[in-house]
Amino acid sequence: MPSEDELFSAVDALLKGEPQMPPPEERARLREAAGVSQARVAQVLSTSDQTVRNWEAGRSEPRPPRRQAYLRLLEGWAAQYPAPERAQAPDTSAAAPMAGPVDISDEGE
């Protein structure tokens, strides 16, 4: 039978919520940034290459206990290989307004 402390720890973990997995494309980016093959990830997590491919393609999600191990691996890689900054669209809010409407008809010629 679990102790009160074990039960409280389990309840506290549930209240925090499950850690979120990165999106599938980020999983692949992190693995590739680390220079590790899907086969090697599968070997370390005692699963098949196809399962890792499915996780990275978004066709399936890892389940415990592999979920926690895979998340730990991805978090470690994320610390080593942060996502590149996304290019932002230029800020046009300070652009000068046009002097007036533009006539594009050929009547004036």
Side-chain angles (χ1 to χ4, degrees):
M1 177 174 226
S3 70
E4 184 176 283
D5 287 340
E6 290 171 328
L7 290 172
F8 283 0
S9 292
V11 167
D12 290 344
L14 183 60
L15 287 171
K16 287 181 187 176
E18 290 293 321
Q20 295 298 308
M21 294 291 296
E25 59 276 0
E26 178 65 0
R27 300 171 198 175
R29 185 197 70 80
L30 289 168
R31 179 187 52 74
E32 290 167 0
V36 176
S37 69
Q38 289 175 328
R40 181 68 178 128
V41 172
Q43 180 185 29
V44 167
L45 296 176
S46 299
T47 192
S48 70
D49 299 7
Q50 184 62 51
T51 296
V52 174
R53 282 193 294 275
N54 288 343
W55 293 344
E56 290 185 0
R59 289 188 291 269
S60 66
E61 289 293 317
R63 292 183 299 233
R66 286 183 183 89
R67 177 184 171 84
Q68 292 88 338
Y70 187 42
L71 183 58
R72 182 176 180 159
L73 177 63
L74 294 171
E75 288 173 344
W77 283 338
Q80 293 176 17
Y81 310 103
E85 293 294 322
R86 292 185 181 193
Q88 293 182 342
D91 182 12
T92 58
S93 61
M98 294 180 68
V102 176
D103 182 8
I104 57 171
S105 68
D106 20 325
E107 292 178 9
E109 292 184 17

